[in-house]
Amino acid sequence: LNEALVDEFVAYAETCFKHFGDLVQWWFTFNEPHSTVTGGYIDGRDAPARSEHPDTEPYIVAHTILLAHAKAVASYRQKYQKAQQGQIGIVLDSVWVVPTSKKDEAAAQRTLEFNLGWFADPVVMGDYPVSMRKAVGSRLPVFTATQK
């Protein structure tokens, strides 16, 4: 919920890169952020067990995670990757849905976009899925031109 955590995460990641880079060849910035966000800020079943504002907080938290991921990846690639010869990425999770009829196709696609696309599209395409932008509106944070 605090974008200042982006720089804190990058400082932590850089500490790991410096001290363990000779031992680690595969870095993952975040593991299953969709589960972290939905469990922690929608359902309240996981830490930090918040569910007071499921209409806004999950989108803010997800955005902060994506910004922290991008900045840590950029740091690794610029400062450490050449010498350490490692790889860096993010581990995404998603439900998978298959429509059972023609009329379910749009709903199945939307489900995938709100699960996998929520995190994959910004990493790969630079922005959230159009269906999310339409459905969530102003509650979905916006990436600046430099963040894309």
Side-chain angles (χ1 to χ4, degrees):
L1 292 174
N2 183 345
E3 211 169 290
L5 292 175
V6 171
D7 290 330
E8 296 295 327
F9 179 79
V10 173
Y12 164 74
E14 286 189 352
T15 299
C16 293
F17 300 152
K18 286 176 194 171
H19 293 286
F20 305 111
D22 59 330
L23 303 171
V24 177
Q25 289 300 295
W26 294 94
W27 294 98
F28 298 104
T29 56
F30 291 91
N31 183 54
E32 300 181 354
H34 183 269
S35 290
T36 300
V37 170
T38 57
Y41 295 88
I42 295 176
D43 305 345
R45 70 178 186 274
D46 299 329
R50 295 176 61 97
S51 58
E52 296 85 8
H53 303 287
D55 55 331
T56 56
E57 286 186 355
Y59 302 113
I60 297 166
V61 171
H63 195 74
T64 303
I65 287 171
L66 287 162
L67 294 176
H69 164 74
K71 201 165 182 180
V73 167
S75 173
Y76 183 75
R77 288 179 178 162
Q78 292 168 4
K79 298 178 185 178
Y80 304 97
Q81 190 171 37
K82 186 175 181 178
Q84 296 176 358
Q85 297 295 300
Q87 300 295 319
I88 189 165
I90 188 169
V91 177
L92 299 180
D93 61 316
S94 179
V95 299
W96 192 257
V97 292
V98 177
T100 57
S101 70
K102 196 79 167 155
K103 68 178 177 123
D104 293 336
E105 287 179 358
Q109 182 62 33
R110 224 175 13 261
T111 299
L112 291 172
E113 290 171 356
F114 268 77
N115 282 268
L116 185 58
W118 189 0
F119 292 91
D121 279 24
V123 170
V124 176
M125 314 269 274
D127 206 357
Y128 298 107
V130 173
S131 64
M132 284 191 78
R133 285 253 168 251
K134 287 181 181 176
V136 179
S138 63
R139 294 175 293 140
L140 191 61
V142 176
F143 293 103
T144 67
T146 56
Q147 291 170 338
K148 290 183 177 189

